[in-house]
Amino acid sequence: MSLLKILIFPDPRLRTVAEPVGVVDESIKKLSEDMLETMYEGSGIGLAATQVNIHKRVFVLDISPDKTEPRVFVDPEIVEILNPEKKSYSEGCLSIPGFYEEVKRPSKVKVSFTDLNGQRQMDEIEDLMAVVVQHEIDHLNGKLMVDFISSVKREMIRKKLLKSKV
Ligand code: QAP
Ligand code: CO
């Protein structure tokens, strides 16, 4: 396994729309292992391939307290919003270190994705998992959590991260 370099906002490469994977091959398995290692190293709970400058539709997450439940989503799609009632959550992002912002999203969604065995899966998700899945799918579409906040706050974060050179 190897640690990957995480792009930091406002790196323009974070705005790239990722390409569908299609067939899950060894390169995708290796990528997901490296992404999980990189996510754990940064004490994250979710990481999209876009954040490590690989523009393929893959993300990983692990929201378990002891970090023992890695999950990999390939070609994920939100097929249905099961509860449109929006819930606010203070979100973080490994590409926006040190900043947390309240974002409102649908609280329950149905997601389809390909697993590492190449099987298409369907899952109903809610609570923190639903927040992370929507946050990560946004990354694959070049969207960031700072796009949901005021432009004044976004500018402040942009300037601070450009200066801090993390
Ligand atoms: C996405 O983000 C997420 O600022 C995953 O200094 C997070 O793992 C979605 C992290 C929360 C919903 C809720 C952030 C690590 C990790 C930081 C992360 C930091 C170190 C963020
Ligand atoms: Co993020």
Side-chain angles (χ1 to χ4, degrees):
M1 298 215 281
S2 17
L3 280 181
L4 307 169
K5 194 174 176 299
I6 298 177
L7 301 178
I8 302 299
F9 175 73
D11 193 308
R13 293 171 289 182
L14 287 169
R15 297 308 189 175
T16 312
V17 177
E19 298 287 342
V21 168
V23 176
V24 175
D25 61 11
E26 284 306 315
S27 76
I28 297 298
K29 289 179 191 169
K30 166 86 164 75
L31 170 64
S32 65
E33 281 175 16
D34 291 347
M35 285 172 61
L36 281 164
E37 189 187 7
T38 304
M39 179 187 78
Y40 289 135
E41 166 74 17
S43 301
I45 56 172
L47 182 71
T50 309
Q51 293 175 273
V52 292
N53 201 29
I54 306 275
H55 302 288
K56 293 183 182 164
R57 304 191 76 84
V58 180
F59 73 83
V60 298
L61 63 77
D62 189 340
I63 59 163
S64 68
D66 47 359
K67 296 296 170 76
T68 53
E69 292 170 33
R71 293 195 60 180
V72 179
F73 295 73
V74 175
D75 291 341
E77 241 161 311
I78 290 170
V79 290
E80 196 180 342
I81 293 172
L82 297 168
N83 188 352
E85 206 176 300
K86 289 189 176 177
K87 264 200 195 159
S88 183
Y89 197 94
S90 179
E91 297 188 11
C93 183
L94 284 166
S95 293
I96 313 175
F99 295 91
Y100 293 83
E101 294 293 341
E102 293 287 332
V103 177
K104 290 195 184 93
R105 303 179 187 273
S107 64
K108 190 174 180 189
V109 295
K110 189 190 264 190
V111 62
S112 71
F113 61 97
T114 305
D115 66 20
L116 277 191
N117 297 317
Q119 302 289 320
R120 203 69 190 159
Q121 303 279 348
M122 190 92 88
D123 209 350
E124 293 188 359
I125 55 164
E126 55 194 329
D127 305 315
L128 177 58
M129 178 87 91
V131 179
V132 178
V133 164
Q134 291 175 82
H135 175 114
E136 303 308 335
I137 290 176
D138 275 356
H139 274 301
L140 302 179
N141 293 326
K143 195 170 170 88
L144 297 167
M145 73 185 203
V146 289
D147 300 343
F148 293 93
I149 65 179
S150 78
S151 55
V152 174
K153 268 192 183 174
R154 185 165 56 248
E155 266 305 283
M156 189 265 305
I157 293 173
R158 189 182 71 81
K159 284 180 185 154
K160 284 191 178 167
L161 285 175
L162 277 178
K163 267 193 207 160
S164 70
K165 276 261 164 245
V166 278

Coordinates of all heavy atoms in Angstrom, one line a residue, residues 71-146:
R71 N -15.3 0.7 3.6 CA -16.2 0.4 2.5 C -15.7 1.1 1.2 O -15.2 2.3 1.3 CB -17.6 0.9 2.8 CG -18.2 0.0 4.0 CD -19.7 0.2 4.1 NE -20.4 -0.2 2.9 CZ -21.7 -0.1 2.7 NH1 -22.5 0.4 3.6 NH2 -22.3 -0.5 1.5
V72 N -15.9 0.5 0.1 CA -15.5 1.1 -1.2 C -16.7 1.2 -2.1 O -17.5 0.2 -2.2 CB -14.4 0.2 -1.9 CG1 -14.0 0.8 -3.2 CG2 -13.2 0.0 -0.9
F73 N -16.9 2.3 -2.7 CA -18.0 2.6 -3.6 C -17.4 2.9 -5.0 O -16.7 3.9 -5.1 CB -18.9 3.7 -3.1 CG -19.6 3.4 -1.8 CD1 -18.9 3.4 -0.6 CD2 -21.0 3.2 -1.8 CE1 -19.6 3.2 0.6 CE2 -21.7 3.0 -0.6 CZ -21.0 3.0 0.6
V74 N -17.8 2.2 -6.0 CA -17.3 2.4 -7.4 C -18.6 2.8 -8.2 O -19.6 2.2 -8.0 CB -16.6 1.2 -8.0 CG1 -16.3 1.4 -9.4 CG2 -15.4 0.8 -7.2
D75 N -18.5 3.8 -9.0 CA -19.6 4.3 -9.8 C -20.9 4.5 -9.0 O -21.9 4.0 -9.4 CB -19.8 3.4 -11.0 CG -18.7 3.4 -12.0 OD1 -17.9 4.4 -12.0 OD2 -18.6 2.5 -12.9
P76 N -20.8 5.2 -7.9 CA -21.9 5.4 -7.0 C -23.0 6.3 -7.6 O -22.6 7.2 -8.4 CB -21.4 6.0 -5.8 CG -20.2 6.8 -6.3 CD -19.6 6.0 -7.4
E77 N -24.2 6.0 -7.3 CA -25.3 6.9 -7.8 C -26.4 7.0 -6.8 O -26.8 6.0 -6.2 CB -25.9 6.3 -9.1 CG -25.7 7.3 -10.3 CD -25.8 6.6 -11.6 OE1 -25.2 5.6 -11.8 OE2 -26.6 7.1 -12.4
I78 N -26.9 8.2 -6.6 CA -28.1 8.3 -5.7 C -29.3 8.1 -6.6 O -29.5 8.9 -7.5 CB -28.1 9.7 -5.0 CG1 -27.0 9.7 -3.9 CG2 -29.4 9.9 -4.3 CD1 -26.7 10.9 -3.3
V79 N -30.0 7.0 -6.4 CA -31.1 6.7 -7.3 C -32.4 7.2 -6.7 O -33.4 7.4 -7.5 CB -31.2 5.2 -7.5 CG1 -30.0 4.7 -8.4 CG2 -31.2 4.4 -6.2
E80 N -32.5 7.5 -5.4 CA -33.7 8.0 -4.9 C -33.4 8.7 -3.5 O -32.6 8.3 -2.8 CB -34.6 6.8 -4.6 CG -36.1 7.2 -4.4 CD -37.0 6.0 -4.1 OE1 -36.6 4.9 -4.5 OE2 -38.1 6.2 -3.6
I81 N -34.1 9.8 -3.3 CA -34.1 10.5 -2.0 C -35.3 9.9 -1.2 O -36.4 10.1 -1.6 CB -34.2 12.0 -2.2 CG1 -32.9 12.5 -2.9 CG2 -34.3 12.7 -0.9 CD1 -32.8 13.9 -3.3
L82 N -34.9 9.2 -0.2 CA -36.0 8.5 0.6 C -36.6 9.4 1.7 O -37.7 9.2 2.0 CB -35.4 7.2 1.2 CG -34.9 6.2 0.2 CD1 -34.1 5.1 0.9 CD2 -36.1 5.5 -0.5
N83 N -35.8 10.3 2.2 CA -36.3 11.4 3.1 C -35.8 12.7 2.7 O -34.6 13.0 2.9 CB -36.0 11.0 4.5 CG -36.7 12.0 5.5 OD1 -37.3 12.9 5.1 ND2 -36.6 11.7 6.8
P84 N -36.6 13.5 2.0 CA -36.1 14.8 1.5 C -35.9 15.8 2.6 O -35.3 16.9 2.3 CB -37.2 15.3 0.5 CG -38.4 14.5 1.0 CD -38.0 13.3 1.6
E85 N -36.4 15.5 3.8 CA -36.2 16.4 4.9 C -34.7 16.6 5.1 O -34.0 15.6 5.4 CB -36.8 15.8 6.2 CG -37.3 16.7 7.2 CD -38.0 16.0 8.4 OE1 -39.0 15.3 8.1 OE2 -37.5 16.0 9.5
K86 N -34.2 17.8 5.1 CA -32.8 18.0 5.2 C -32.3 18.1 6.6 O -33.0 18.7 7.4 CB -32.4 19.3 4.4 CG -32.5 19.1 2.9 CD -31.9 20.2 2.1 CE -32.0 20.0 0.6 NZ -31.5 21.1 -0.2
K87 N -31.2 17.5 6.8 CA -30.5 17.6 8.2 C -29.2 18.3 8.0 O -28.5 18.1 7.1 CB -30.3 16.1 8.7 CG -31.4 15.6 9.6 CD -30.8 14.5 10.5 CE -31.9 13.7 11.1 NZ -31.4 12.3 11.5
S88 N -28.9 19.1 9.0 CA -27.7 19.8 9.0 C -26.6 19.1 9.8 O -26.9 18.5 10.8 CB -27.9 21.2 9.7 OG -26.7 22.0 9.6
Y89 N -25.4 19.1 9.2 CA -24.3 18.4 9.9 C -23.0 19.2 9.7 O -22.8 19.8 8.7 CB -24.1 17.0 9.2 CG -23.3 16.1 10.1 CD1 -23.9 15.2 11.0 CD2 -21.9 16.1 10.0 CE1 -23.1 14.3 11.8 CE2 -21.1 15.3 10.8 CZ -21.7 14.4 11.7 OH -21.0 13.6 12.5
S90 N -22.2 19.3 10.8 CA -21.0 20.0 10.7 C -19.9 19.1 10.0 O -19.3 18.2 10.6 CB -20.5 20.4 12.1 OG -19.3 21.1 12.0
E91 N -19.7 19.4 8.7 CA -18.9 18.6 7.8 C -17.4 19.1 7.8 O -17.2 20.3 7.9 CB -19.4 18.6 6.4 CG -20.8 18.0 6.3 CD -21.3 17.8 4.9 OE1 -20.5 17.9 3.9 OE2 -22.5 17.5 4.7
G92 N -16.5 18.1 7.7 CA -15.1 18.4 7.5 C -14.7 17.9 6.2 O -15.5 17.2 5.5
C93 N -13.5 18.0 5.8 CA -13.0 17.5 4.5 C -11.4 17.5 4.6 O -10.8 18.5 5.0 CB -13.4 18.4 3.4 SG -13.0 17.8 1.7
L94 N -10.9 16.4 4.2 CA -9.4 16.2 4.2 C -8.8 17.2 3.2 O -7.6 17.6 3.4 CB -9.0 14.8 3.9 CG -9.2 13.8 5.0 CD1 -9.0 12.4 4.5 CD2 -8.2 14.0 6.1
S95 N -9.5 17.7 2.3 CA -9.0 18.7 1.3 C -9.2 20.2 1.8 O -8.8 21.1 1.2 CB -9.7 18.6 0.0 OG -9.3 17.4 -0.6
I96 N -9.9 20.3 3.0 CA -10.1 21.6 3.6 C -9.8 21.5 5.1 O -10.6 21.7 5.9 CB -11.6 22.1 3.4 CG1 -12.0 21.8 1.9 CG2 -11.8 23.5 3.7 CD1 -13.5 22.1 1.6
P97 N -8.5 21.2 5.4 CA -8.1 20.9 6.8 C -8.3 22.1 7.7 O -8.0 23.2 7.4 CB -6.6 20.5 6.6 CG -6.2 21.1 5.4 CD -7.4 21.1 4.5
G98 N -8.9 21.7 8.9 CA -9.0 22.7 9.9 C -10.3 23.5 9.9 O -10.6 24.3 10.8
F99 N -11.2 23.2 8.9 CA -12.4 23.9 8.8 C -13.6 23.0 8.8 O -13.6 21.9 8.1 CB -12.5 24.8 7.5 CG -11.4 25.9 7.5 CD1 -10.2 25.7 7.0 CD2 -11.7 27.1 8.0 CE1 -9.2 26.7 7.0 CE2 -10.8 28.1 8.1 CZ -9.5 27.9 7.5
Y100 N -14.6 23.4 9.5 CA -15.9 22.6 9.6 C -17.0 23.5 9.4 O -17.1 24.6 9.9 CB -16.0 22.0 11.0 CG -14.9 20.9 11.2 CD1 -13.6 21.2 11.6 CD2 -15.2 19.6 10.9 CE1 -12.6 20.3 11.7 CE2 -14.2 18.6 11.0 CZ -12.9 19.0 11.4 OH -11.9 18.0 11.4
E101 N -18.0 23.1 8.5 CA -19.1 24.0 8.2 C -20.4 23.2 8.2 O -20.4 22.0 7.8 CB -18.9 24.6 6.8 CG -17.7 25.5 6.7 CD -17.9 26.8 7.5 OE1 -19.0 27.2 7.8 OE2 -16.8 27.5 7.8
E102 N -21.5 23.8 8.6 CA -22.8 23.2 8.6 C -23.3 23.1 7.1 O -23.3 24.1 6.4 CB -23.8 24.0 9.4 CG -23.5 24.1 10.9 CD -23.8 22.8 11.6 OE1 -24.7 22.0 11.1 OE2 -23.2 22.5 12.6
V103 N -23.7 21.9 6.7 CA -24.2 21.7 5.4 C -25.6 20.9 5.6 O -25.6 20.0 6.4 CB -23.3 20.9 4.5 CG1 -23.9 20.6 3.1 CG2 -22.0 21.6 4.3
K104 N -26.6 21.3 4.9 CA -27.9 20.6 5.0 C -28.1 19.7 3.8 O -27.9 20.1 2.6 CB -29.0 21.7 4.9 CG -29.2 22.5 6.2 CD -30.5 23.2 6.2 CE -30.7 24.2 7.4 NZ -30.2 25.5 7.1
R105 N -28.4 18.4 4.0 CA -28.6 17.5 2.9 C -29.8 16.6 3.3 O -30.1 16.4 4.5 CB -27.4 16.6 2.8 CG -26.0 17.3 2.5 CD -24.9 16.3 2.4 NE -23.6 16.9 2.3 CZ -23.0 17.3 1.2 NH1 -23.7 17.1 0.1 NH2 -21.8 17.8 1.2
P106 N -30.4 15.9 2.3 CA -31.4 15.0 2.5 C -30.9 13.9 3.5 O -29.8 13.4 3.4 CB -31.7 14.3 1.1 CG -31.3 15.4 0.2 CD -30.1 16.1 0.8
S107 N -31.8 13.5 4.5 CA -31.3 12.6 5.6 C -31.3 11.2 5.2 O -30.6 10.4 5.9 CB -32.2 12.9 6.8 OG -33.5 12.5 6.6
K108 N -32.0 10.7 4.2 CA -32.0 9.3 3.8 C -32.1 9.2 2.3 O -32.9 9.7 1.7 CB -33.2 8.6 4.5 CG -33.1 7.1 4.4 CD -34.3 6.4 5.2 CE -34.1 4.9 5.0 NZ -35.3 4.2 5.6
V109 N -31.1 8.4 1.8 CA -31.0 8.2 0.3 C -30.8 6.7 0.0 O -30.4 6.0 0.8 CB -29.9 9.1 -0.3 CG1 -30.2 10.6 -0.2 CG2 -28.5 8.7 0.3
K110 N -31.2 6.4 -1.3 CA -30.9 5.1 -1.8 C -29.8 5.2 -2.8 O -29.9 6.1 -3.7 CB -32.2 4.5 -2.5 CG -32.1 3.1 -2.9 CD -33.2 2.6 -3.8 CE -34.3 2.0 -3.0 NZ -35.3 1.3 -3.9
V111 N -28.7 4.5 -2.5 CA -27.5 4.6 -3.4 C -27.2 3.2 -4.1 O -27.4 2.2 -3.5 CB -26.3 5.1 -2.5 CG1 -26.0 4.1 -1.5 CG2 -25.1 5.4 -3.4
S112 N -26.9 3.3 -5.3 CA -26.4 2.1 -6.0 C -24.9 2.3 -6.4 O -24.5 3.5 -6.5 CB -27.2 1.9 -7.3 OG -26.9 2.8 -8.3
F113 N -24.2 1.2 -6.4 CA -22.7 1.3 -6.6 C -22.2 -0.1 -7.0 O -22.9 -1.1 -6.8 CB -22.0 1.8 -5.4 CG -22.2 0.9 -4.1 CD1 -21.2 0.0 -3.8 CD2 -23.3 1.0 -3.3 CE1 -21.3 -0.9 -2.7 CE2 -23.5 0.1 -2.2 CZ -22.5 -0.8 -1.9
T114 N -21.0 -0.1 -7.5 CA -20.3 -1.4 -7.8 C -19.4 -1.6 -6.6 O -18.7 -0.7 -6.2 CB -19.6 -1.3 -9.1 OG1 -20.5 -0.9 -10.1 CG2 -19.0 -2.6 -9.5
D115 N -19.4 -2.9 -6.1 CA -18.4 -3.2 -5.1 C -17.1 -3.8 -5.7 O -17.0 -3.8 -6.9 CB -19.1 -4.2 -4.1 CG -19.3 -5.6 -4.7 OD1 -18.7 -5.9 -5.7 OD2 -20.2 -6.3 -4.1
L116 N -16.2 -4.1 -4.8 CA -14.8 -4.5 -5.3 C -14.9 -5.9 -6.0 O -13.9 -6.2 -6.7 CB -13.8 -4.5 -4.2 CG -13.2 -3.2 -3.8 CD1 -12.0 -3.4 -2.9 CD2 -12.7 -2.4 -5.0
N117 N -16.0 -6.6 -5.8 CA -16.1 -7.9 -6.6 C -16.8 -7.6 -8.0 O -17.1 -8.5 -8.7 CB -17.0 -8.9 -5.8 CG -16.3 -9.3 -4.5 OD1 -15.1 -9.5 -4.5 ND2 -17.1 -9.3 -3.5
G118 N -17.0 -6.3 -8.3 CA -17.6 -6.0 -9.5 C -19.1 -6.2 -9.6 O -19.8 -6.1 -10.6
Q119 N -19.7 -6.4 -8.4 CA -21.2 -6.6 -8.3 C -21.9 -5.3 -8.1 O -21.5 -4.5 -7.2 CB -21.5 -7.6 -7.1 CG -20.9 -8.9 -7.2 CD -21.5 -9.8 -8.3 OE1 -22.7 -9.8 -8.5 NE2 -20.6 -10.5 -9.0
R120 N -23.0 -5.1 -8.8 CA -23.8 -3.9 -8.5 C -24.6 -4.1 -7.3 O -25.2 -5.1 -7.1 CB -24.7 -3.6 -9.8 CG -25.1 -2.2 -9.9 CD -24.0 -1.3 -10.3 NE -24.6 0.1 -10.2 CZ -23.8 1.2 -10.1 NH1 -22.5 1.1 -10.1 NH2 -24.3 2.4 -10.0
Q121 N -24.6 -3.1 -6.4 CA -25.3 -3.2 -5.1 C -26.2 -2.0 -5.0 O -26.0 -1.0 -5.6 CB -24.3 -3.1 -3.9 CG -23.2 -4.1 -4.0 CD -23.6 -5.4 -3.4 OE1 -24.7 -5.5 -2.8 NE2 -22.8 -6.5 -3.6
M122 N -27.2 -2.2 -4.1 CA -28.2 -1.1 -3.8 C -28.3 -1.0 -2.3 O -28.4 -2.1 -1.6 CB -29.5 -1.5 -4.4 CG -30.5 -0.3 -4.3 SD -30.4 0.7 -5.8 CE -31.6 -0.2 -6.8
D123 N -28.3 0.2 -1.7 CA -28.3 0.3 -0.3 C -29.1 1.5 0.1 O -29.0 2.6 -0.5 CB -26.8 0.4 0.2 CG -26.6 -0.1 1.6 OD1 -27.6 -0.4 2.3 OD2 -25.4 -0.2 2.0
E124 N -29.9 1.4 1.2 CA -30.6 2.5 1.8 C -29.7 3.1 2.9 O -29.4 2.3 3.8 CB -31.9 2.1 2.3 CG -32.9 1.7 1.2 CD -34.3 1.5 1.6 OE1 -34.6 1.6 2.8 OE2 -35.1 1.1 0.8
I125 N -29.4 4.3 2.9 CA -28.5 4.8 3.9 C -29.0 6.1 4.6 O -29.7 6.9 3.9 CB -27.1 5.1 3.4 CG1 -27.1 6.0 2.2 CG2 -26.3 3.8 3.0 CD1 -25.8 6.6 1.9
E126 N -28.7 6.3 5.9 CA -29.2 7.4 6.6 C -28.1 7.9 7.6 O -27.0 7.3 7.7 CB -30.5 7.2 7.3 CG -30.5 6.0 8.2 CD -31.9 5.5 8.6 OE1 -32.8 6.4 8.6 OE2 -32.1 4.3 8.8
D127 N -28.4 8.9 8.4 CA -27.5 9.4 9.4 C -26.2 9.8 8.9 O -26.1 10.3 7.7 CB -27.4 8.4 10.6 CG -28.8 8.0 11.1 OD1 -29.6 8.9 11.3 OD2 -29.0 6.8 11.3
L128 N -25.1 9.6 9.6 CA -23.8 10.0 9.2 C -23.4 9.4 7.9 O -22.7 10.1 7.0 CB -22.7 9.7 10.3 CG -21.3 10.1 10.0 CD1 -21.2 11.6 9.7 CD2 -20.4 9.7 11.1
M129 N -23.7 8.2 7.7 CA -23.3 7.5 6.4 C -23.9 8.2 5.2 O -23.2 8.4 4.2 CB -23.8 6.0 6.4 CG -23.5 5.3 5.2 SD -21.8 4.5 5.2 CE -22.3 2.9 5.9
A130 N -25.1 8.7 5.3 CA -25.8 9.4 4.2 C -25.1 10.7 4.0 O -24.9 11.2 2.8 CB -27.3 9.6 4.5
V131 N -24.6 11.4 5.0 CA -23.9 12.7 4.9 C -22.6 12.4 4.1 O -22.3 13.1 3.2 CB -23.6 13.3 6.3 CG1 -22.8 14.6 6.1 CG2 -24.9 13.5 7.1
V132 N -21.9 11.4 4.6 CA -20.5 11.1 4.0 C -20.7 10.7 2.5 O -20.0 11.2 1.6 CB -19.8 10.1 4.8 CG1 -18.4 9.8 4.1 CG2 -19.5 10.5 6.2
V133 N -21.7 9.9 2.2 CA -21.9 9.4 0.8 C -22.2 10.6 -0.1 O -21.6 10.7 -1.2 CB -23.0 8.3 0.8 CG1 -23.5 8.1 -0.7 CG2 -22.4 7.0 1.3
Q134 N -23.0 11.5 0.4 CA -23.4 12.6 -0.5 C -22.2 13.6 -0.6 O -22.0 14.1 -1.7 CB -24.6 13.3 0.1 CG -25.9 12.5 0.0 CD -27.1 13.1 0.6 OE1 -27.8 14.0 0.1 NE2 -27.4 12.7 1.9
H135 N -21.5 13.8 0.4 CA -20.3 14.6 0.4 C -19.2 14.1 -0.6 O -18.7 14.8 -1.4 CB -19.7 14.7 1.8 CG -18.4 15.4 2.0 ND1 -18.3 16.6 2.7 CD2 -17.1 15.1 1.5 CE1 -17.0 17.0 2.7 NE2 -16.3 16.1 2.0
E136 N -19.0 12.7 -0.6 CA -18.0 12.1 -1.5 C -18.5 12.1 -2.9 O -17.7 12.3 -3.8 CB -17.7 10.7 -1.0 CG -17.2 10.6 0.5 CD -16.0 11.5 0.8 OE1 -15.3 11.9 -0.1 OE2 -15.9 11.9 2.0
I137 N -19.8 11.9 -3.2 CA -20.3 11.9 -4.5 C -20.2 13.3 -5.1 O -19.8 13.5 -6.3 CB -21.8 11.4 -4.6 CG1 -21.8 9.9 -4.4 CG2 -22.4 11.7 -6.0 CD1 -23.2 9.2 -4.3
D138 N -20.3 14.3 -4.2 CA -20.1 15.7 -4.6 C -18.7 15.9 -5.2 O -18.5 16.5 -6.2 CB -20.3 16.7 -3.5 CG -21.8 17.1 -3.3 OD1 -22.6 16.7 -4.2 OD2 -22.1 17.8 -2.4
H139 N -17.7 15.3 -4.4 CA -16.3 15.4 -4.9 C -16.1 14.9 -6.3 O -15.4 15.4 -7.1 CB -15.4 14.6 -3.9 CG -14.9 15.3 -2.7 ND1 -14.2 16.5 -2.8 CD2 -15.0 15.0 -1.4 CE1 -13.9 16.9 -1.5 NE2 -14.4 16.0 -0.7
L140 N -16.8 13.7 -6.6 CA -16.6 13.1 -7.9 C -17.2 14.0 -9.0 O -16.9 13.8 -10.2 CB -17.3 11.7 -7.9 CG -16.7 10.7 -6.9 CD1 -17.5 9.4 -6.9 CD2 -15.2 10.5 -7.0
N141 N -18.1 14.9 -8.6 CA -18.7 15.9 -9.5 C -18.0 17.2 -9.5 O -18.5 18.2 -10.0 CB -20.2 16.0 -9.2 CG -20.9 14.7 -9.6 OD1 -20.5 14.0 -10.5 ND2 -22.0 14.4 -8.8
G142 N -16.9 17.3 -8.8 CA -16.1 18.6 -8.7 C -16.7 19.6 -7.7 O -16.4 20.7 -7.8
K143 N -17.6 19.1 -6.8 CA -18.3 20.0 -5.9 C -17.7 19.8 -4.5 O -17.4 18.7 -4.1 CB -19.8 19.7 -5.9 CG -20.6 20.7 -5.2 CD -22.1 20.5 -5.5 CE -23.0 21.4 -4.7 NZ -23.3 22.7 -5.2
L144 N -17.6 20.9 -3.8 CA -17.0 20.9 -2.4 C -18.0 21.4 -1.4 O -18.9 22.2 -1.7 CB -15.7 21.8 -2.4 CG -14.6 21.3 -3.3 CD1 -13.5 22.4 -3.5 CD2 -14.0 20.0 -2.8
M145 N -17.8 21.1 -0.1 CA -18.7 21.5 0.9 C -18.7 23.0 1.0 O -19.7 23.6 1.4 CB -18.4 20.9 2.3 CG -17.1 21.4 2.9 SD -16.7 20.5 4.4 CE -15.7 21.8 5.2
V146 N -17.6 23.7 0.7 CA -17.6 25.2 0.7 C -18.5 25.8 -0.3 O -18.8 27.0 -0.2 CB -16.2 25.8 0.6 CG1 -15.3 25.4 1.8 CG2 -15.5 25.2 -0.7

